[in-house]
Amino acid sequence: MTGATPEPTQAATDAGRPAVAGVALTDLSAGVGTVLWALAASVGVLTQVERALALAPLVVVPLGIGLAADGGFDARSGRLLTAATIVQPVGAALFLASLVLPSGPPAALAAAAWIPVTGALAFAGLSRALDRGLRPLSETLVDAGLAYVPVAAVALVAFHLGITLWFEPVIVLLTAVHFHYAGFALPVLAGVTGRRLGGSGGLFRPIAAVVAVGPAIVAVGISFSPLVEVVAVGAFTVAVATFGVLALVRVVPHLSPLPAAFVGLSALALPASMLLALGYGVAAFTGTDPLGLDVSTMVSLHGSLNAYGFALLGAAGWRLAEESERA
């Protein structure tokens, strides 16, 4: 079944929104996660990559779950989203513990707690997509973000177990980062933005198509083919940068000041981040690196722009927008 989604019922809009003392559990989890992340970062137990990685389950994912729930989840998909919301704080805390522990079976066991959380999210997104069809595209993007995130959990477990296949260990760790941010945060935040743009039409349609499939194709290119990688990264760069501009021009001016500042800065981070990704892809394809975009540079610049500039500010900005509109 395809076509426009009917207006969600109150039961649908409440799915995935368990609360404690009237405060959404996703907000409580993100708040506690912020404190845990700040403590871990301040005592120096995490590397730069691990700091960006830990931010996702502790802060970005719970905020993203809350934003996703606004699209309406009924019956089976709603129960799955609610289950993921309830177990997410425990999974995120163990995820952080896995980064503090030395890599090995105990760290892998702690990281494995994130798999059922992300698995429930994926099944919620897939179930909703099967029930609803591919329209509106804004909700398809949200479902795609939910479906991608288990790849990140599996990648972290593999890293801790030393299962790296033909890759350097850091590439496996960066795969966990990639699928939390490009795989989860980007589609979910693009979908939330698309809700304000009408969901399916105009320039948003091709952007949504590339954002939905781009993370997977880029990962395939990195794994098997520099040519596929550079083509995929090129298309992904154009689509994501255009999305950032579209958000700035069409959406940000209609938000109240504080959310507009957060969402605007988030959108501005995208073109810069994606140009760095394109430069790295071209370097991998040509075998030259005139811009000096090695892995460590990409972690510092591209990774930081994605994690802190785009995902954190974007998720917080849209959450603030929700609150300002409900007030």
Side-chain angles (χ1 to χ4, degrees):
M1 175 181 174
T2 59
T5 305
E7 287 296 318
T9 64
Q10 185 61 46
T13 57
D14 287 343
R17 294 180 178 278
V20 177
V23 179
L25 182 56
T26 50
D27 290 344
L28 286 173
S29 179
V32 173
T34 300
V35 173
L36 290 175
W37 182 88
L39 287 172
S42 65
V43 299
V45 297
L46 302 178
T47 67
Q48 186 175 30
V49 173
E50 290 168 345
R51 288 195 297 273
L53 180 55
L55 183 73
L58 289 170
V59 183
V60 174
V61 170
L63 289 175
I65 294 172
L67 293 171
D70 279 347
F73 285 73
D74 279 317
R76 177 177 54 188
S77 62
R79 289 192 295 270
L80 287 164
L81 191 69
T82 298
T85 302
I86 292 170
V87 299
Q88 178 274 324
V90 175
L94 289 171
F95 188 106
L96 176 61
S98 81
L99 297 178
V100 174
L101 292 169
S103 283
L109 183 62
W114 195 233
I115 292 177
V117 179
T118 57
L121 290 175
F123 281 118
L126 292 171
S127 175
R128 188 172 75 131
L130 288 172
D131 289 342
R132 190 196 69 251
L134 296 179
R135 298 294 181 91
L137 291 178
S138 56
E139 299 309 318
T140 298
L141 280 175
V142 171
D143 293 338
L146 297 176
Y148 274 131
V149 72
V151 180
V154 172
L156 183 61
V157 173
F159 170 78
H160 284 310
L161 292 175
I163 303 172
T164 61
L165 302 177
W166 54 89
F167 302 109
E168 293 294 322
V170 69
I171 299 300
V172 180
L173 186 62
L174 290 174
T175 299
V177 178
H178 173 77
F179 278 97
H180 273 114
Y181 290 104
F184 174 82
L186 175 61
V188 169
L189 294 181
V192 172
T193 305
R195 290 169 181 167
R196 303 299 180 104
L197 294 170
S200 296
L203 189 59
F204 183 73
R205 184 181 291 114
I207 290 172
V210 176
V211 168
V213 302
I217 296 176
V218 169
V220 168
I222 291 172
S223 301
F224 301 106
S225 169
L227 177 59
V228 172
E229 179 185 0
V230 74
V231 172
V233 170
F236 200 52
T237 296
V238 171
V240 174
T242 304
F243 160 64
V245 173
L246 190 65
L248 280 171
V249 173
R250 295 275 307 278
V251 175
V252 170
H254 302 289
L255 300 176
S256 55
L258 186 57
F262 276 55
V263 175
L265 289 171
S266 170
L268 284 171
L270 285 176
S273 170
M274 295 313 300
L275 285 174
L276 289 169
L278 180 60
Y280 184 77
V282 170
F285 179 65
T286 61
T288 62
D289 190 16
L291 299 179
L293 295 175
D294 57 13
V295 171
S296 62
T297 303
M298 286 295 288
V299 168
S300 298
L301 299 178
H302 174 75
S304 295
L305 282 169
N306 278 346
Y308 311 112
F310 168 67
L312 180 60
L313 288 178
W318 280 115
R319 185 67 188 91
L320 288 170
E322 284 184 343
E323 285 303 306
S324 67
E325 290 166 3
R326 288 172 181 168

